Amino acid sequence: MRFEVTRRDVMRFAGGAAIGAALSPMPWTLTDDLAIWTQNWRWIPRPSKGERSTATTACALCAAACPLEANCVGKSPIALRAAGGAQPLCSLGLTGHHLPWHPARITRPQRIERGAARPASVSIEAVVRETARAMAAARSGSGSVVVLDSRPDRSGSWAWQRLLASIEGAVVVATPGTEGSSLDALDALSSDATRLTTLDLAGARTILSFGAPVAEGWGRLSECCPGDVTLVQVEPMRSRSAELSDHWLPARPGTEGVLALGIANTLISASLVPSSVTESIADFAAYTDIVARFPLARVAAITGLAADDIALTARELAANGPTVVVAGEQPGGGPLRRSDRVAILGLNALLGSAGRIVDRAELLSPRAGEPLAPVARLESLPGRSVALLVIDASAGDVAFPWHVVDRKLASSALVVALSPYLAGTARHADFVVPTAPFLEAIHEIPSSRTEAAPALSISAPLLPAREGAIDPVAFVRMLASAGQIDLGGDWSSTESLARERVARIHAAAIGSVAQPSESASLPVASLASADELWDALAKGGRWTGDRAAANPERRVELAAGLGVDLTREVGAAQASDRTLKLVPRAARETTLTAVVSPVLSKLYRESQLRRSPGSATLSPRTAAALGLRNVRAARILTAGGSAHVSLSLDEGVMAGVVELTVAPDLIALGDAARADHRMAIDLLTPAADGSWSSIDAELVEG
Amino acid sequence: MESAETTLARYGMVIDLDRCNGCGACATACAVENNVPPANTSATERTGLTWLRVQRVSNGRQFPQNRAVYIPISCQQCGEHTPCVSVCPQNAVDVNPETGVVSQVPARCLGCRYCMAACPFHARYFNWFDPKWPDGMEATLNPDVSIRMRGVVEKCNFCHGRWQAAKAKAAANGARDIDPADYVPACVDACPEKAITFGNLDDPRSDAARASKSANAFRFLEKLGTDPKVYYRSDRAWVRRLADADVTARESEASRG
Amino acid sequence: MNPRGPLTFALGLASALALGWVAYPRLQYRSVEQPIQFSHKIHTGESVGMTCAECHPLGDDGRFAGLPSIATCEPCHTETQGTTKNEKHFVEQYVTKGREVPWLVYARQPENVYFAHAPHIGLAHLPCERCHGPHGGSDQLRPYQENRLSSYSRDIWGPSATRLARAEWEGMKMTDCSACHEAHGVRESCLTCHK
């Protein structure tokens, strides 16, 4: 029989198959499985499963050292929150556990060749060799060695000072813009210049702040002055501190010093100063002469404030004492000009609160009696003199314009950075040594200059350090052995030095430890061993030493510090009608770190809560005057260069001012680095004294 | 077997706009808690994914009289005629009778975005991109909340994972009702100004119920009759006058023109 | 009548039935052996006499521990118990090295499902066997079967392809949860069981 498949056969077979299939579970389960398949793409990440636990440590992301509690799954933190009823964390702290996985994280030393498209990995030996060579050259007189320290007073800072002790002219310098660096001006005013001073905020009833982010963790205001404190904030923009203040005085950028002198003028002419002032201000007559040049009407015209407001503020400061006047660093804007700071800080003496200028009680160093290189200020270094610059950003970064440092570098200078990330200041280095980030290693959080009492917290790691991370103290040791420098002792890591310091604090039995979820502080004297003290600190505790006593004998000299620029140049005509005052703007916490969690894009990119990185904001009136009313993209021109910015208009910005968002930059937010990437903050050119709080700029379309 | 009756609750919050300073910690804590991925590099305000978005609204006056109010807007958890529930063709949205929370089951959502069009508060968000975290950051994800895929809608559910955890804790100890202290959404927890009061609006002893009845408390778009469970309060009259405005659109209007 | 017509039809019917009933269920799942052959029977049997909750406890915080970590096994298994190859492998590869065993969980629910043991144990007083069957008395670990398309465990659908004539504990699909909830008057909404 010939077998021929006909169309009809196929149809019959298919019909049978269709009925058979319908009578089997196949189509029904297949439909179910397919539906589920579309809900489970393999590229959708899955949270890890595991045992839940909690751990406490201290946040190492800023000097506030908030105690935090981590919720962990299988020992890996999935959420951070303030431990034991402490002040809730900021956005940076809440996402701190993301940072070890930031896209800019590096685990191998990098060499950044000028002009090369991307950095190349090198061996740590090569970095040590090159650095030691530059160090040896500096010893034989090719230039100086400078270490930029973003968080002074750490054990790591001490290790650098110890290493540099044998090199003449080598110094450790606080990174420009480090919190509290404005208070440097106090040291110079003081009759006893050998002692470091600070302001004691404790017990103040009124705080007059010039740009300091006092309501945002600066100087731990919430802890030292709980309750009833009146905050008067002088700032050209409505920052978060301005928003939270009782009175906001929006003085034109760059006129802060004049405002201080205007307030002084009112205080003196209305006889609101205590009689003892002639003693506490050594050159009172000369100071009065300068102040007399700033009558209320002139100050009002220069600052753009109402004369009545200034007079009222002056009266309030005198009536509602004790008053502390602080000159701080605007986030991203660094310190004000030096003469402005003198005018501002001098008000403390004028208000009779000279006692609030206190000697800064020093934090014990890890080891006693060893030779140390001095701590210096960057401005005091001659230009083009630095042959080797080490940027220690292992404990955080500070946003500052590179020009500030660049002009101190010799043409062939070597720049080496220590940082967990190829971001922030480290991007300016020739070599970057990878260090372990927050939560992967011991970090020390000493008190900053804004605190009157010495303090120390230890941030204990909750995660194992990723392979490749190099301890900054171990790096110092490597440099010492490469350069045949004898450092003495057997310390070899941050932890070993930090433990030595904690042992010294324990032996001295000073101060007490505040622990999260315990209301009473634990006196150090009551602890049986240094290890007990260490454990209390590693679990989020903060050790605080004794507050330095106020020194009522202190005399300050003001007239000399007020300088030429303040008395003559203020109010000088602008270069042209198109010239604007460029004011850097950022949230405080983002200026203290090289990277932020990419999740903060919720605030910067996916909503208009915070201006996106590199964007410029000006008032609609100013924009109209410049013909930029309907312009979205613009170019900003400064002496430091030009850059494309996106323009937004906001009635909340002062006329004639352009606010530039300088932190976080795009790489800090997690974007891939482009070879031509330029940080917005580098547009700012510093004044002769190294300040960049406001500069001249022009905006053009395009 | 005994019946499984629990006390019904109607959770809500009262946000004090005079305390909010726009720090954004609530929005950050929300993204961390609910596994909301970082923005795609091409994401904008329009295509972003923020269960809780803080809107900045100005009083429209010139500097220095210009003032801003920060308004955290999440799903307002409408109780009546819930617009998103009524339009969903997929039954992916319902109102939980036990908590009053408007749910969204992303696995069930087919991505038609009808609910987004229906929502008067613009509080629903569409996944325009695949959820992506930097390599390794998956280790920080919260196992109590599932990850949503591209093509579905999601929104605030008052940190439902936390409610479930509180419920499980109560159940483990044989109790049907949760301890109110165990159920606090992430944004409430994170607010440094304690601007958000959260609780059962039907429980007259709860702080939230009391605050929602205080003078100067108001709700947005109350005139629509959707009975939102998110209240706001402010002593400033110009802020209260925003109640009938679409605040999600105001910022760009104010800054542009 | 030409018998070829009905024959072709029957052939089509038979091959589809064979495919649907025999071949497809085999294709549908991928079998994976557990890393270690574990006997529940030895542990729960008379000589050891452990209860379920000793290794799978429900914490006071309402979180169910799931599978025990190696630390739970360690006290008894620092030294090899018995002479089996399996035990030797377990002690050498996992206990001594402190590594966790990558068990494959038969009852693992999909990512979008929220399931808490606490209400089922603490409020409904269900015995473990109600959902897990006689697993606690098993001597062998059966291979883990993963759906090739959905990657779900076979236990979600249940062993029977038709879901007919199944035991009470077989199958953990949404309808199974709902049926029991409905029968006992549990108030349900989407977020009761989804996350």
Side-chain angles (χ1 to χ4, degrees), chain B residues 5 94 96 143-144 146 164, chain C residues 63 114 118 187 189-191 195:
Chain B
E5 283 304 306
D94 71 355
N96 189 336
D144 291 344
S146 64
Q164 281 168 325
Chain C
R63 290 198 187 276
Y114 169 78
R187 199 180 287 109
S189 83
C190 300
L191 289 191
K195 59 179 188 185

Side-chain angles (χ1 to χ4, degrees), chain A residues 164-201:
Chain A
L164 301 187
S166 61
I167 305 172
E168 194 163 345
V171 289
V172 175
V173 162
T175 307
T178 302
E179 287 193 311
S181 55
S182 293
L183 298 170
D184 283 349
L186 274 182
D187 301 344
L189 301 183
S190 188
S191 49
D192 180 0
T194 58
R195 303 172 93 168
L196 275 179
T197 49
T198 190
L199 289 171
D200 194 354
L201 300 183

Side-chain angles (χ1 to χ4, degrees), chain B residues 51 77 91-107 144-146 155-161 163-165 167 183, chain C residues 112-115 187-195:
Chain B
W51 289 17
Q77 314 290 356
N91 251 340
V93 191
D94 71 355
V95 181
N96 189 336
E98 245 178 293
T99 56
V101 169
V102 179
S103 71
Q104 169 77 26
V105 182
D144 291 344
V145 180
S146 64
K155 67 158 195 82
C156 161
N157 53 25
F158 276 171
C159 288
H160 208 267
W163 180 78
Q164 281 168 325
K167 187 97 176 141
Y183 176 36
Chain C
N112 60 55
V113 172
Y114 169 78
F115 176 82
R187 199 180 287 109
E188 272 189 330
S189 83
C190 300
L191 289 191
T192 313
C193 308
H194 285 285
K195 59 179 188 185

